[in-house]
Amino acid sequence: MQIKTVGILSPGDMGQAVASVLNQHGLRTIAALESRSERTRTLAAAGNIQDVGSLTQLVIESDVILSILVPAAAAEVAQQVAEVIGNVGKQILYVDANAIAPQKVKNIAQIIESSGANFVDASIIGPPPRVPGRTHIYASGKQAGEFQQLSNYGLDIRVISDEIGQASGLKMVYAALTKGLTAISTELLIAAHRLGLDEQLWNEVTSSQPALAAILLRSIPSMTPKAHRWVGEMEEIAETFKDLGLTERIFYGAADVYRLVKDTSLGRETPEQSDRERKLKDIITTLSDETILTLLSNNI
């Protein structure tokens, strides 16, 4: 199958960046923006993503549908798309690139394949691909080779297996490390702030763990506007670990940290609004002050 048009579900921060790369390399990208927010429409326009209105029209015009959503929406949207595919009767490739547990992606594969479409499991590791070489997309499934055609259009796609669930599994264990570390670090820095030990702790970290200090200076400021999405991702990781006979409680705790962050003024910012020059110390002070107010109000 020659890929000419890629349907994007949905053109948020990551989806828009992926589509923008494809557009820059000569592929057409489209989205169904009927009833979508003004922010989504603005992002789509910035990425030169064509609005085709309805989900039905997106299926009709797409060769590949690339699903990049919050984890909680992955299964519901796949069901909606499968119904449309069944009604339209078109052969299409559906790529699920969401941060979800392997068992969930296998269930979604069954939904999509029952409509007559082909399915690929994918996972995106790294930031939105605005800088070449920093974002890797892993793929698994028998049709993963077809999806890898998009490597010819600016994306770094790596096929790792013909088994559905392997790409998502890799995302789960990698994000457990990176985003799990960010959650733990955020909470302990808030704890140090409340103990009056900010300066002492940071001096020790920068002295004895300089590589870790550099990671935290990057990861925590960029996390705050994404915390609402990472709640669900931590819950998916928890379910993955539970299915493997490991403790899930670590990652439900990480989800709780992101749940607190998302309800702060920093968590309510969009990535476009977030101040990239904001100092880590100021971020931790704001999170400490606002999360304790949230806890107090919830206890009243």
Side-chain angles (χ1 to χ4, degrees):
M1 175 186 68
Q2 183 179 2
I3 299 173
K4 295 181 179 180
T5 300
V6 178
I8 304 292
L9 300 170
S10 154
D13 193 39
M14 181 65 79
Q16 184 260 17
V18 169
S20 183
V21 170
L22 296 176
N23 286 330
Q24 290 167 20
H25 289 81
L27 275 189
R28 176 179 179 240
T29 61
I30 61 176
L33 300 182
E34 193 174 68
S35 303
R36 298 308 304 269
S37 70
E38 189 59 37
R39 175 178 179 260
T40 300
R41 290 176 176 275
T42 299
L43 286 171
N48 292 318
I49 303 168
Q50 181 184 343
D51 177 18
V52 296
S54 69
L55 190 58
T56 297
Q57 195 61 33
L58 181 119
V59 169
I60 290 170
E61 296 191 29
S62 296
D63 302 305
V64 174
I65 291 179
L66 183 54
S67 176
I68 307 174
L69 306 162
V70 293
E76 180 181 355
V77 171
Q79 183 65 59
Q80 293 171 356
V81 174
E83 291 174 4
V84 174
I85 292 171
N87 292 335
V88 171
K90 181 183 177 182
Q91 185 65 45
I92 198 168
L93 182 65
Y94 187 97
V95 180
D96 189 298
N98 299 302
I100 55 178
Q103 186 54 53
K104 180 175 285 188
V105 83
K106 290 176 183 177
N107 293 340
I108 291 174
Q110 292 178 351
I111 292 170
I112 294 296
E113 289 172 347
S114 68
S115 73
N118 293 322
F119 183 89
V120 170
D121 172 26
S123 64
I124 302 172
I125 293 182
R130 298 185 178 96
V131 178
R134 293 179 58 194
T135 307
H136 307 147
I137 303 177
Y138 293 90
S140 64
K142 290 182 171 58
Q143 278 75 40
E146 289 192 33
F147 173 53
Q148 199 174 28
Q149 287 182 54
L150 297 188
S151 292
N152 298 325
Y153 300 93
L155 299 180
D156 182 350
I157 299 174
R158 307 177 179 194
V159 176
I160 58 172
S161 172
D162 62 2
E163 180 184 342
I164 299 297
Q166 289 293 92
S168 289
L170 180 60
K171 173 70 173 181
M172 292 292 94
V173 292
Y174 185 83
L177 171 63
T178 56
K179 294 169 185 174
L181 175 62
T182 300
I184 292 169
S185 301
T186 300
E187 186 170 39
L188 70 86
L189 288 172
I190 291 173
H193 176 77
R194 292 181 182 175
L195 288 167
L197 295 170
D198 316 53
E199 185 177 349
Q200 292 86 344
L201 174 65
W202 191 248
N203 287 342
E204 180 58 38
V205 171
T206 54
S207 173
S208 61
Q209 303 284 343
L212 175 60
I215 290 170
L216 299 184
L217 285 169
R218 293 194 308 270
S219 64
I220 294 177
S222 64
M223 168 273 294
T224 55
K226 304 172 186 174
H228 68 285
R229 298 207 314 262
W230 292 4
V231 173
E233 193 165 332
M234 292 300 104
E235 291 172 341
E236 293 291 331
I237 293 169
E239 288 302 302
T240 300
F241 279 52
K242 182 179 179 181
D243 288 344
L244 295 169
L246 299 168
T247 180
E248 71 277 20
R249 287 177 289 182
I250 297 170
F251 299 101
Y252 280 130
D256 286 341
V257 173
Y258 291 133
R259 194 171 285 109
L260 284 172
V261 172
K262 79 177 180 66
D263 291 328
T264 66
S265 59
L266 301 182
R268 288 190 290 270
E269 293 178 338
T270 65
E272 303 89 67
Q273 294 169 333
S274 183
D275 181 2
R276 296 174 185 268
E277 303 301 320
R278 193 178 282 137
K279 293 182 179 179
L280 179 59
K281 181 179 179 180
D282 295 336
I283 292 171
I284 295 302
T285 298
T286 299
L287 294 179
S288 177
D289 293 347
E290 294 191 19
T291 55
I292 201 166
L293 288 173
T294 299
L295 291 171
L296 287 172
S297 66
N298 288 341
N299 289 331
I300 294 174

